[in-house]
Amino acid sequence: MARSSTPSSLTVATLFAATLLFLLHPSNAQLTAGFYAKTCPDVSSIVQNVIHEALQSDPRITASLLRLHFHDCFVKGCDGSILLDNSPTIKSEKDAAPSFQTVRGFRVVDKIKEAIERACPKTVSCADILALSANASVYLSGGPYWTVLLGRRDGLTANPALANISIPSPFDSYANLVSKFAAVGLDITDLVTLSGAHTFGRAHCKSFSPRLYNFTANGGPDPTLSPWYLTALRKLCPPNFNSRVLAENDPTTPNLFDNHYYSNLQKNDGLFQSDQELYSTAGAATISIVNSFSADQNAFFESFTRSIINMGNISPLTGSNGEIRFNCRKVNGI
Ligand code: HEM
Ligand SMILES: *[C@@H]1O[C@H](CO)[C@@H](O)[C@H](O)[C@H]1NC(C)=O
Ligand SMILES: *[C@@H]1O[C@H](CO)[C@@H](O)[C@H](O)[C@H]1NC(C)=O
Ligand SMILES: *[C@@H]1O[C@H](CO)[C@@H](O)[C@H](O)[C@H]1NC(C)=O
């Protein structure tokens, strides 16, 4: 297209809009589905096989691995930061409040990494291993699979202070949940959809016990908790609860990735305050999304494939930024 005239105002406006779009999505451009097609063609089956094997003795491992991808991506992007252990130079995000004594699955990540290193040394990042593990885990638990975009590199730092403020808390208000998702470029559809991950996995009493006792001004429990569920959770977690006791996130089908999370919310059977707020906050825009996913599991699954890709696109390191870690627990060369 050769035009000799000076750019029209329309061209300028189009260019401006295109630049703006590019600036709003600066990072996704470089992740691709075929990133390891030549350098590590079997990476998907290696990941899937290790998780399938782990699942035989640990029915919760798929949930735990999906959560690691979330805790990785919400802190300065999907860069494997959640996997770094404490060291003289690293203050681990594993000890930040949202993750402390509740994140798990690291030995299985190590196994995946070791198997991949044997097949294709120094090639696949730990951040990509978490993205691939999320896909395999959701699928192996009965959920959908998606086109995993790859090419992330591993970061050289961890940031527990940022983890404290970036990863949502189960006690956050509806407005805070919305704003913590918005801070990483995710909207309320992503919020409702990704919260649906609480359709499987487990939680410690400390993550919901404030709802059970002395929650309201006059000492009552959270009024948005159904009577049978309140009774059951109080029995599981008495005031002096054992810190190791676990509740099922979805009491109906604890290990299945399905849409029961949403029908639970409709019955006031959400486990976390942050779950139930998506349905019980008066006038919230999230209510109709909960209703649509409760009515139609395929709509939830389709939305999940979109939202998990959005989450996986949060500020990845690409090109020559960061590194490919040899051991997911520590940065290279230390
Ligand atoms: C919306 C904000 C969110 C909050 C406040 C939140 C909070 C929590 C809490 C408190 C736990 C239980 C920790 C424990 O006591 O052991 C948990 C577990 C879990 N979360 Fe979330 N979460 C959120 C979003 C997400 C997202 C986006 C995902 C993934 C896409 C996710 C996946 C999971 C899974 C699978 C578990 C169970 C893990 C296991 O059994 O090891 N969560 N979450
Ligand atoms: C995602 O999971 C599906 C189902 O297991 C699998 O066929 C596919 O290869 C996986 N994608 C990647 C990139 O690993
Ligand atoms: C994160 O929050 C916890 C609990 O509030 C606090 O003890 C810890 O010092 C914080 N960590 C950082 C690095 O700010
Ligand atoms: C309940 O909470 C109020 C403040 O909200 C506090 O004054 C009171 O001591 C608490 N009661 C118990 C039994 O913890």
Side-chain angles (χ1 to χ4, degrees):
M1 178 169 86
R3 289 211 307 194
S4 53
S5 60
T6 53
S8 69
S9 59
L10 185 69
T11 318
V12 172
T14 311
L15 209 77
F16 179 74
T19 310
L20 203 71
L21 269 177
F22 177 76
L23 287 175
L24 286 172
H25 297 274
S27 45
N28 339 355
Q30 295 167 77
L31 298 182
T32 56
F35 193 80
Y36 298 114
K38 292 217 173 66
T39 54
C40 198
D42 293 335
V43 69
S44 294
S45 51
I46 296 172
V47 171
Q48 188 143 349
N49 288 341
V50 176
I51 298 174
H52 185 263
E53 165 76 24
L55 200 47
Q56 307 311 307
S57 58
D58 179 2
R60 181 184 167 204
I61 189 63
T62 48
S64 304
L65 292 171
L66 176 60
R67 186 168 184 238
L68 289 183
H69 185 40
F70 162 49
H71 283 215
D72 181 22
C73 293
F74 264 61
V75 186
K76 268 175 84 181
C78 315
D79 61 356
S81 55
I82 183 64
L83 301 175
L84 292 171
D85 281 339
N86 280 316
S87 78
T89 56
I90 295 288
K91 205 168 175 306
S92 180
E93 288 172 16
K94 296 174 187 181
D95 296 334
S99 297
F100 184 60
Q101 293 180 347
T102 68
V103 284
R104 63 192 291 279
F106 301 105
R107 277 192 292 262
V108 173
V109 174
D110 291 340
K111 271 196 183 162
I112 296 171
K113 179 63 170 168
E114 285 157 20
I116 292 176
E117 286 300 303
R118 282 195 293 275
C120 5
K122 306 180 183 178
T123 304
V124 180
S125 68
C126 298
D128 277 348
I129 286 175
L130 292 184
L132 289 161
S133 299
N135 170 61
S137 291
V138 169
Y139 181 75
L140 287 170
S141 303
Y145 64 89
W146 55 91
T147 304
V148 185
L149 298 180
L150 299 164
R152 297 171 193 81
R153 291 171 61 88
D154 296 320
L156 308 176
T157 57
N159 196 334
L162 192 61
N164 268 355
I165 58 174
S166 305
I167 299 175
S169 144
F171 315 117
D172 273 340
S173 66
Y174 173 78
N176 282 345
L177 294 173
V178 172
S179 83
K180 286 181 181 178
F181 271 64
V184 292
L186 300 177
D187 66 16
I188 59 162
T189 301
D190 298 313
L191 168 61
V192 176
T193 303
L194 294 171
S195 294
H198 295 161
T199 177
F200 65 170
R202 305 287 185 274
H204 296 79
C205 295
K206 68 171 181 181
S207 297
F208 54 86
S209 58
R211 304 182 72 198
L212 310 180
Y213 311 100
N214 204 13
F215 182 85
T216 63
N218 53 7
D222 186 337
T224 66
L225 197 50
S226 73
W228 85 266
Y229 203 31
L230 174 65
T231 304
L233 292 175
R234 277 181 168 170
K235 193 166 172 225
L236 189 69
C237 308
N240 58 340
F241 59 76
N242 177 329
S243 65
R244 278 174 311 212
V245 164
L246 296 168
E248 292 158 341
N249 286 350
D250 171 4
T252 70
T253 47
N255 297 328
L256 256 194
F257 194 98
D258 58 18
N259 67 339
H260 290 194
Y261 170 80
Y262 301 102
S263 40
N264 292 340
L265 297 186
Q266 290 174 318
K267 293 182 286 188
N268 283 345
D269 292 348
L271 182 59
F272 307 132
Q273 195 184 319
S274 55
D275 293 324
Q276 195 60 48
E277 280 166 354
L278 302 178
Y279 187 73
S280 300
T281 302
T286 46
I287 297 170
S288 63
I289 309 175
V290 170
N291 289 335
S292 71
F293 292 163
S294 172
D296 182 354
Q297 179 162 278
N298 284 331
F300 165 49
F301 282 6
E302 271 175 32
S303 189
F304 195 84
T305 65
R306 282 190 295 272
S307 290
I308 193 91
I309 290 170
N310 292 343
M311 189 179 88
N313 279 338
I314 302 173
S315 320
L317 296 169
T318 55
S320 57
N321 293 319
E323 64 182 14
I324 304 297
R325 250 177 245 156
F326 306 140
N327 174 339
C328 292
R329 295 174 182 268
K330 51 189 187 190
V331 297
N332 297 341
I334 297 181

